Amino acid sequence: MRQAASDLKAGRDELTELDRRIGDGDHGSNMDRGFTAVVAKLDDAGSPETVGQVLKLVATTLMSTVGGASGPLYGTAFLRASKVVDRATVDPACLVSLAEAATEGIVARGRAHVGEKTMIDAWQPAVEAAEQAAGSGDVLDVLRAAAEAAEAGAVATIPLVATKGRASYLGERSAGTEDPGARSTAMLLAAAVTAAEEVAG
Amino acid sequence: MRQAASDLKAGRDELTELDRRIGDGDHGSNMDRGFTAVVAKLDDAGSPETVGQVLKLVATTLMSTVGGASGPLYGTAFLRASKVVDRATVDPACLVSLAEAATEGIVARGRAHVGEKTMIDAWQPAVEAAEQAAGSGDVLDVLRAAAEAAEAGAVATIPLVATKGRASYLGERSAGTEDPGARSTAMLLAAAVTAAEEVAG
Amino acid sequence: MKKLLDDPSQAVTDSLRGFGLAHADQVSVHHEPNYVVRAGGTPPGQVAVVSGGGSGHEPLHAGFVGAGMLDAAVPGEVFTSPTPDQVLAAVQAADAGAGVLLIVKNYTGDVLNFETAAELAEAEDVETTSVLVNDDVAVEDSLYTAGRRGVAGTLFVEKVAGAAAARGDSLAQVTALAERAASAVRSMGVALTACTVPHVGKPSFDLGEDEVEIGIGIHGEPGRHRVTASGASDITRRLVDSVLDDIELAEGARVLLFVNGMGGTPASELYVVYGIARQMLVDHGAQVERSLVGSYVTSLEMQGVSVTVAVLDDELIELWDAPVRTPALTW
Amino acid sequence: MKKLLDDPSQAVTDSLRGFGLAHADQVSVHHEPNYVVRAGGTPPGQVAVVSGGGSGHEPLHAGFVGAGMLDAAVPGEVFTSPTPDQVLAAVQAADAGAGVLLIVKNYTGDVLNFETAAELAEAEDVETTSVLVNDDVAVEDSLYTAGRRGVAGTLFVEKVAGAAAARGDSLAQVTALAERAASAVRSMGVALTACTVPHVGKPSFDLGEDEVEIGIGIHGEPGRHRVTASGASDITRRLVDSVLDDIELAEGARVLLFVNGMGGTPASELYVVYGIARQMLVDHGAQVERSLVGSYVTSLEMQGVSVTVAVLDDELIELWDAPVRTPALTW
Ligand SMILES: Nc1ncnc2c1ncn2[C@@H]1O[C@H](COP(=O)(O)OP(=O)(O)O)[C@@H](O)[C@H]1O
Ligand SMILES: Nc1ncnc2c1ncn2[C@@H]1O[C@H](COP(=O)(O)OP(=O)(O)O)[C@@H](O)[C@H]1O
Ligand SMILES: [Mg+2]
Ligand SMILES: [Mg+2]
Ligand SMILES: [Mg+2]
Ligand SMILES: [Mg+2]
C-alpha cells in the first residue's frame, strides 16, 4: 500500500494529464489524496491482523477521501476484496478470488464492460491472467501476470472510444488517449509487484 | 473639420496607445467618435454662415458625443472660440483671439496649467506662437506657427510627470509617454494647416 | 496560474470558511466533513432538499442554501464529487423528519457517491429520494455516453424543489415536482477560455486565440466541437438552436430564459447574449415569462456562457416566483 | 480578444437593451441618449438619487437602479464618462420634485461632465447637489494628483443615499448622509490580469506570468506597483494594510467589510480573501458588523479583487440594512 501511495504520488501528474485530456483533470490528485490518506490510516492502525482488515481500511479510506467516479469504484473494489480473505497471508488461489471480487465490485457499481474505456479494461485482463498463472506459479508470478495484463489492458484503451464515465462526452475525440482509471489500475498492480518483490527479497 | 476627422481616425490607434499607457485607453475612440459625429452634423447642417456657427456646432457635438475628460474640455474650447468670431472668414488677429478663447475655456474647466502634462501643454505654446506670428504673417502663417508650437509642446510632455487627469494616478510612471490630449491637440492644429493649405491651393 | 488562494489543497475549505463567516445569518458551515446547512436548520416537519457535487461551480450549490431553496449543500474537492460519508453527514443534518430529496447532477462520480450515500442513509433510517438533473443538450443521451450532464438547469430544479418543500409538500410531491422541473429544462454552453483547477495548475484544455469551444460542460471538460469565434449573435444562435432542437416548444409556450456566466464573463456580455437569445425565442413563438441573468453555475474563472430554457406551467411559475432568501439568490 | 459582443461600438447599447428586457419589472432603459430609470419612476416627492460613469463596471450603476437605491443611472461608453446631455436627460427623468443628488466618482471626466450637466439642470430649474466618491487609497490625495479615485466604495454611498431618500429625507439630508458615507469608506484593489476594452482590442496593460498589479483603479489603468504573485494571504494583507494605514479605526469600531471581484474572479476566491481580510480586521480590534462579497464594481473581465472597509454608526447601519430591490442587490 505504501508502495502504491508513493507510485501514485509519482504518477500523479501523468494521471492528471490523461484526465485533463479526456476527463476533468482530477484523477491524479484524487488518487494521490486517497492513498496519502490510506498511508496515514495504516500508520494509525498499527498492524491489522488479516489481509482482509487491511483491505477494508483501504476501502473505507478511499471511499471517504477520493470522491469522483473513481472513489466509490476503487472503494467498492477493495471492500469486496476484503471480504474474501480473512488470513494474514495470501496464496495464489486466494489472490485470484480477491482480484475477481474486486472486479465484480467495480462492475456492480459502475455497470461498465470491457471495451468501454474504463478501469475495467485493466482489471478484467488482469483477473484472467491471474487465473491462468495461479495454476503453475507462486504469489509473485500471479501478481506479475496480473500487472502485465493490466498494463497491456491500459495501453489497449488508447484507441477506444469511451462510452462510460466523463470521457464518453467527448465521443470520437476520446480516442487516442489512455484511460486515466485504467492507467491508475496498472500503476496499483505494478506497485503490488514491487512491494511483493521487496518482501521476497 | 473634415480634415480633422479623417486625421483623428488615422491617428486613433496612436492616441489610444498613448492613453493605454498612461490613461485608460479610450482617447483615440473618444476623439474619433466625436469628430465622426461632427462631420455628420456638418453634412446635415448645410453651410452655416459664420465661422462662429460652425465652431458652436462642433462644440455641442463634441460635448454630447465624446464623454471622458476630453469631451467637456474640447467642447468648452470650441464653445468659447465660437463666441469670438461672427464672420464668414478669419484674419490673423481673429485667429489669435479664437485660440486664446479656446485655451482659456480649457483652463476654466480643467484648472490645469502648463507643465501638468495635459492638452494645455500643446494649447498654451500654440497660442503664444500664434500671437507672435500674427504681427507679420497671414492666416496660414499663423496656423502653421501654432501647429508647430503645439507639436513641440506635445513632444515636450513626454518627460513630464502628470499632476492632472487620469495619468496623475501613475505618478512617476507617467513620465516617458506623451500626453494623449496634447497629441490630439497637435493633430487637430496640423489638420487645420492641411485644410487651410488646400483652400489656399 | 494566478489565483487568490493559499494552499491549493485547502482552497475549498478556506473558501467555505469565508463563505460561512460572510453569511452567518443564512448558513452554517460544517468542516470535516465539509457541508453547509441552513442557519437554524430545516424547519421541523419540512422535507429537506439537499444537493452537492464538485466545487468550482460557485455559487452553486452552497450559495443556494437558505429559506425557499436548499437545506444543505455538499461541496466536494474542485470538480470532484463529494464522498458518500460527506453526503450522509449533510443528509442527517438536514433531515427534519419528513425525508430528504437529493438533487444529483448526472455525472458518474456524483451518481455513484450519492447512490452510496443513499444506501448509508437508509441504514440510518433516513428516508431519501433522488432526482437526476441532465439538462445539457450538448451530450447525446444514448447507449454510447454516460447520459446528458447536469449543468445550469440544476438551479431551476433546486428552486422549484425548495419552494415546494417550503410550502409543505410531502417528499413524494417534492420529488415529483423536481422530476417535472428536471424534464422541463435544457441547456447548452460555450467556453471562450478554459479554466485552471488549482491543484492542476494548468488550463483544462487549450484553445486557440480565436477559437471557442461549443458544448462544454461545467468541469472544464472540452466540448462538442470548436469553431472560430464570431461574435455574440453567431455564438448565441448555436446555443439556442441546439436547445430548440431538443426541446418541444409549442406555439405560445411560456418559458424561463436563464443566461448563465461561466465565472469569468462580464455581466455586460451576458445581457448581450440574453437580448439575442430572447429575440430568437420570441421569433420561435415562445413567451419569455421569466428571466435570470448572472453567473450562478460556473467553471472557476472560465469565460463563457450557457443558455438554459425551461418550459413553464402555472405551478412551476408559482414555485419559481415563491420567495427565496439565500446568499446568491434572493427575491 | 474574445468577447460575447457583436459590433464593439454598439456593445453598451446592446447590453443595456438586454438588461432592460431581463429586468423590465424593476427598470426602464432609455436609448439616445442612454440612461436607466426605475420602472414607474421615482415616487412623487422623493429625492432622486442618480449616479453614472463609464460602462464596464457592471452591475454598477444600472444594476442598482430600483427601490431603495438609485432612481437613475447614466452609463457612458466603456470606461468613458457619460456626456452632459445624457446626464441631464436622466436627471430630468428621475426628478420627482424634491431635487436630485448626483453621486460622482472622482475622475476628471466624470467630474467635468456631471458639473456641466448640473449647470444645465439648473438652467432647467431642477435642483441638484453632488457628492464625490473618492475611496481609493491607492492614490495619494495631494496637489500632485487629480485626487483619490472613486471605486467600489461607490456602492456603499449609493446604498446609504438611496435608503435615506426612500425614508423621505430632504435633498439636504440625503446629501449630508451621502457625504458621511463617502468619508467613511476606503478601498484598495489588485489585478491578477488586465482587461480588454472592446473597441481597443488589446489588454489595458501587460502583466508578467506571475506578476500582480497592486493599487489598480477600475478602468483597466495600471496601479501603484507590481509584485510577484504570492498567494491570497500576502495579497490580501497588502490591500488591508493600505486601507488601515489610511482610515482611523478606533478599538471596537464597527465596520462593513466588502470584498469585491473585478469581473473575472471566481466567487470561491473572493471568499478566501474575505476570510483573511476579516481576520485582519478582527486582529486590529474592529467588529465586522456587515459583509458583502461579490463582483459588484468591476473592470470588464479583469481578474482581481478590491477590499473596501466602511466605518459604521447606528444610522449608517440602519440605512445599509434598509430594504433594497434592484437587479443586482436585493434584501
Ligand atoms: N462506469 C464506470 N465504470 C468503471 N470505471 C469508470 C466508470 N466511469 C468512470 N470510470 C473510471 O473512472 C476514471 C475517472 O476517475 P476520476 O477522474 O477520479 O473521476 P471523475 O471522472 O469523476 O473526475 C475513468 O478514467 C474510468 O477509468
Ligand atoms: N484637468 C485637465 N485639464 C486639461 N486637460 C486635461 C485635464 N484632465 C485630463 N486632460 C486631458 O484629457 C486627456 C484624456 O482624455 P480622454 O482619454 O478622452 O478622457 P479620460 O481621461 O476621461 O479617459 C489627457 O490626455 C489630458 O490631455
Ligand atoms: Mg476526473
Ligand atoms: Mg482616456
Ligand atoms: Mg472529477
Ligand atoms: Mg476614459
Side-chain angles (χ1 to χ4, degrees):
Chain A
M1 280 309 146
R2 284 170 218 280
Q3 187 64 46
S6 91
D7 284 9
L8 282 168
K9 201 174 277 304
R12 181 191 148 129
D13 290 349
E14 179 186 351
L15 294 177
T16 289
E17 177 58 26
L18 293 176
D19 199 28
R20 199 178 78 93
R21 283 205 234 144
I22 60 168
D24 60 351
D26 62 357
H27 190 58
S29 52
N30 291 349
M31 295 300 287
D32 180 18
R33 186 173 55 247
F35 277 86
T36 303
V38 163
V39 169
K41 274 280 165 63
L42 287 177
D43 287 346
D44 286 357
S47 30
E49 301 223 324
T50 70
V51 175
Q53 283 167 337
V54 175
L55 292 175
K56 180 150 185 219
L57 196 74
V58 173
T60 55
T61 308
L62 293 182
M63 198 82 102
S64 71
T65 56
V66 176
S70 55
L73 291 170
Y74 276 119
T76 307
F78 281 96
L79 198 66
R80 295 280 184 108
S82 76
K83 292 189 180 148
V84 301
V85 274
D86 52 1
R87 288 178 281 156
T89 55
V90 287
D91 59 25
C94 170
L95 200 58
V96 167
S97 47
L98 192 152
E100 285 169 349
T103 306
E104 280 159 21
I106 295 172
V107 172
R109 267 261 164 259
R111 300 165 205 100
H113 302 101
V114 167
E116 299 203 273
K117 196 173 184 122
T118 70
M119 57 175 70
I120 283 299
D121 293 333
W123 281 100
Q124 195 64 49
V127 166
E128 283 158 19
E131 283 164 352
Q132 291 219 331
S136 56
D138 62 7
V139 166
L140 199 52
D141 294 330
V142 173
L143 266 181
R144 280 196 185 121
E148 273 161 31
E151 174 66 30
V155 171
T157 64
I158 296 179
L160 297 181
V161 171
T163 55
K164 280 279 182 326
R166 214 176 271 285
S168 71
Y169 304 140
L170 286 175
E172 299 291 334
R173 283 211 263 167
S174 64
T177 300
E178 194 175 35
D179 177 63
R183 172 51 43 207
S184 62
T185 298
M187 284 180 179
L188 272 180
L189 292 177
V193 171
T194 312
E197 280 169 348
E198 266 172 28
V199 171
Chain B
M1 280 308 148
R2 284 172 218 282
Q3 187 64 45
S6 90
D7 285 7
L8 282 168
K9 201 175 279 303
R12 181 190 148 128
D13 290 350
E14 180 186 348
L15 295 178
T16 290
E17 178 58 26
L18 294 176
D19 199 29
R20 198 178 81 93
R21 284 205 233 143
I22 60 168
D24 60 351
D26 62 357
H27 190 59
S29 51
N30 290 350
M31 295 300 287
D32 180 18
R33 186 172 57 247
F35 277 86
T36 303
V38 163
V39 169
K41 275 280 167 63
L42 287 178
D43 286 344
D44 287 357
S47 31
E49 301 222 327
T50 70
V51 174
Q53 283 167 339
V54 175
L55 292 175
K56 180 151 187 217
L57 196 75
V58 173
T60 54
T61 309
L62 292 182
M63 198 82 103
S64 71
T65 55
V66 175
S70 54
L73 292 171
Y74 277 118
T76 306
F78 281 96
L79 197 67
R80 296 279 184 109
S82 77
K83 293 187 181 151
V84 300
V85 273
D86 52 2
R87 289 179 278 157
T89 54
V90 287
D91 60 24
C94 169
L95 200 60
V96 168
S97 46
L98 193 153
E100 285 170 349
T103 307
E104 279 159 21
I106 297 172
V107 172
R109 267 260 164 262
R111 299 167 206 98
H113 301 101
V114 167
E116 298 204 89
K117 196 173 184 122
T118 70
M119 57 174 71
I120 284 298
D121 293 333
W123 281 100
Q124 195 63 51
V127 167
E128 283 158 19
E131 284 163 353
Q132 293 220 328
S136 53
D138 62 8
V139 166
L140 198 52
D141 294 329
V142 174
L143 267 181
R144 280 196 185 123
E148 273 162 32
E151 174 65 33
V155 171
T157 64
I158 297 178
L160 297 181
V161 171
T163 55
K164 279 280 179 331
R166 214 176 270 286
S168 71
Y169 304 139
L170 286 174
E172 299 290 334
R173 283 211 264 168
S174 65
T177 300
E178 195 175 33
D179 177 62
R183 171 51 42 207
S184 62
T185 298
M187 285 180 179
L188 271 179
L189 293 177
V193 171
T194 312
E197 280 169 349
E198 265 171 30
V199 172
Chain C
M1 179 192 68
K2 284 187 270 187
K3 289 185 183 285
L4 293 162
L5 300 174
D6 288 321
D7 177 0
S9 75
Q10 291 302 305
V12 170
T13 302
D14 288 349
S15 179
L16 276 176
R17 186 176 310 109
F19 175 77
L21 289 166
H23 302 288
D25 50 332
Q26 294 180 311
V27 303
S28 301
V29 171
H30 187 277
H31 294 286
E32 297 189 35
N34 284 334
Y35 62 84
V36 178
V37 291
R38 273 171 74 169
T42 309
Q46 188 172 301
V47 170
V49 182
V50 174
S51 190
S55 290
H57 310 302
E58 291 70 26
L60 184 85
H61 302 267
F64 304 139
V65 172
M69 210 156 163
L70 297 181
D71 297 285
V74 201
E77 289 299 312
V78 175
F79 293 170
T80 301
S81 315
T83 58
D85 55 321
Q86 218 184 321
V87 177
L88 175 65
V91 163
Q92 289 180 304
D95 181 37
V100 179
L101 167 65
L102 299 172
I103 298 178
V104 184
K105 302 196 293 306
N106 187 34
Y107 297 94
T108 306
D110 286 350
V111 170
L112 297 183
N113 284 288
F114 276 83
E115 202 174 271
T116 311
E119 288 166 18
L120 297 173
E122 201 193 320
E124 303 284 336
D125 281 327
V126 179
E127 193 184 356
T128 65
T129 55
S130 60
V131 170
L132 271 193
V133 185
N134 58 355
D135 55 317
D136 187 0
V137 303
V139 176
E140 272 182 84
D141 187 12
S142 74
L143 269 179
Y144 305 108
T145 65
R148 288 196 324 225
R149 301 173 287 214
V151 290
T154 311
L155 180 150
F156 178 66
V157 179
E158 292 180 356
K159 175 68 183 76
V160 165
R167 74 177 179 190
D169 283 14
S170 69
L171 181 59
Q173 288 168 322
V174 174
T175 307
L177 278 160
E179 298 275 13
R180 207 160 103 203
S183 66
V185 68
R186 298 288 187 285
S187 302
M188 178 83 177
V190 63
L192 274 59
T193 62
C195 58
T196 301
V197 175
H199 53 248
V200 176
K202 59 179 178 170
S204 52
F205 51 86
D206 308 300
L207 265 185
E209 249 313 299
D210 45 34
E211 280 177 334
V212 304
E213 180 92 23
I214 307 268
I216 47 140
I218 54 171
H219 293 88
E221 61 269 58
R224 226 195 228 180
H225 55 266
R226 262 158 218 219
V227 299
T228 300
S230 46
S233 289
D234 177 53
I235 290 172
T236 305
R237 214 166 281 134
R238 290 168 193 267
L239 302 184
V240 177
D241 279 343
S242 299
V243 167
L244 290 177
D245 280 352
D246 192 277
I247 206 168
E248 299 206 355
L249 271 197
E251 178 70 25
R254 294 175 298 170
V255 300
L256 162 76
L257 171 56
F258 168 26
V259 172
N260 175 61
M262 302 308 295
T265 318
S268 51
E269 297 180 24
L270 300 182
Y271 285 112
V272 171
V273 170
Y274 173 85
I276 299 164
R278 182 185 173 109
Q279 190 57 50
M280 288 184 70
L281 291 175
V282 169
D283 291 347
H284 203 80
Q287 285 176 265
V288 179
E289 290 279 315
R290 294 294 182 273
S291 300
L292 186 68
V293 181
S295 294
Y296 292 106
V297 181
T298 63
S299 285
L300 298 171
E301 77 284 4
M302 178 182 280
Q303 280 179 260
V305 68
S306 63
V307 173
T308 296
V309 176
V311 182
L312 302 173
D313 56 34
D314 287 340
E315 186 167 26
L316 290 174
I317 290 180
E318 182 194 318
L319 293 167
W320 178 258
D321 286 348
V324 57
R325 297 192 81 82
T326 69
L329 207 64
T330 291
W331 58 66
Chain D
M1 179 192 66
K2 284 188 270 186
K3 288 185 184 285
L4 293 162
L5 300 174
D6 289 323
D7 177 359
S9 75
Q10 292 302 305
V12 170
T13 301
D14 287 351
S15 179
L16 275 176
R17 188 178 307 111
F19 175 77
L21 289 166
H23 302 289
D25 51 332
Q26 293 179 313
V27 303
S28 301
V29 171
H30 187 278
H31 294 287
E32 297 189 36
N34 285 333
Y35 63 84
V36 178
V37 291
R38 274 171 74 168
T42 308
Q46 189 172 299
V47 169
V49 181
V50 174
S51 190
S55 291
H57 310 301
E58 291 71 25
L60 183 85
H61 301 269
F64 303 139
V65 172
M69 209 159 165
L70 297 182
D71 296 284
V74 201
E77 289 298 313
V78 175
F79 294 170
T80 300
S81 316
T83 59
D85 55 322
Q86 218 184 320
V87 178
L88 175 66
V91 163
Q92 288 180 304
D95 180 37
V100 180
L101 167 65
L102 299 172
I103 297 178
V104 183
K105 303 196 292 305
N106 187 35
Y107 297 94
T108 305
D110 285 351
V111 170
L112 297 183
N113 284 287
F114 276 82
E115 201 174 272
T116 311
E119 287 165 18
L120 297 174
E122 199 193 320
E124 304 283 336
D125 281 328
V126 179
E127 193 185 355
T128 64
T129 55
S130 59
V131 170
L132 271 193
V133 185
N134 58 355
D135 55 317
D136 186 358
V137 302
V139 176
E140 271 181 84
D141 188 11
S142 73
L143 269 180
Y144 306 108
T145 65
R148 288 196 324 224
R149 300 172 289 212
V151 291
T154 312
L155 180 150
F156 178 66
V157 179
E158 293 179 356
K159 176 68 183 75
V160 166
R167 73 177 179 190
D169 283 13
S170 70
L171 181 58
Q173 287 167 322
V174 174
T175 307
L177 279 160
E179 297 276 14
R180 206 160 103 204
S183 65
V185 67
R186 297 288 187 286
S187 303
M188 179 83 178
V190 63
L192 274 59
T193 63
C195 58
T196 301
V197 175
H199 53 246
V200 175
K202 57 179 179 171
S204 52
F205 50 88
D206 309 301
L207 266 185
E209 248 315 299
D210 44 34
E211 281 176 335
V212 303
E213 180 91 22
I214 305 268
I216 47 141
I218 55 171
H219 294 87
E221 62 269 56
R224 225 195 233 181
H225 55 265
R226 265 159 215 216
V227 299
T228 300
S230 46
S233 289
D234 178 53
I235 290 172
T236 305
R237 215 166 282 134
R238 290 168 192 268
L239 302 184
V240 177
D241 279 342
S242 298
V243 168
L244 289 177
D245 280 351
D246 193 276
I247 206 168
E248 299 205 358
L249 271 197
E251 178 70 28
R254 294 175 298 169
V255 300
L256 162 76
L257 172 56
F258 168 27
V259 172
N260 175 60
M262 301 309 296
T265 318
S268 50
E269 296 179 24
L270 300 182
Y271 285 112
V272 171
V273 171
Y274 173 85
I276 299 163
R278 183 186 172 107
Q279 190 57 51
M280 288 184 70
L281 291 175
V282 170
D283 292 346
H284 203 80
Q287 284 176 266
V288 179
E289 289 281 314
R290 294 294 181 274
S291 301
L292 185 68
V293 181
S295 294
Y296 292 105
V297 180
T298 63
S299 285
L300 298 171
E301 77 283 6
M302 178 181 280
Q303 279 178 259
V305 69
S306 63
V307 173
T308 296
V309 176
V311 183
L312 302 173
D313 57 35
D314 287 341
E315 186 165 28
L316 290 174
I317 290 180
E318 181 194 318
L319 293 167
W320 178 256
D321 287 348
V324 56
R325 298 192 80 83
T326 69
L329 207 65
T330 291
W331 59 69

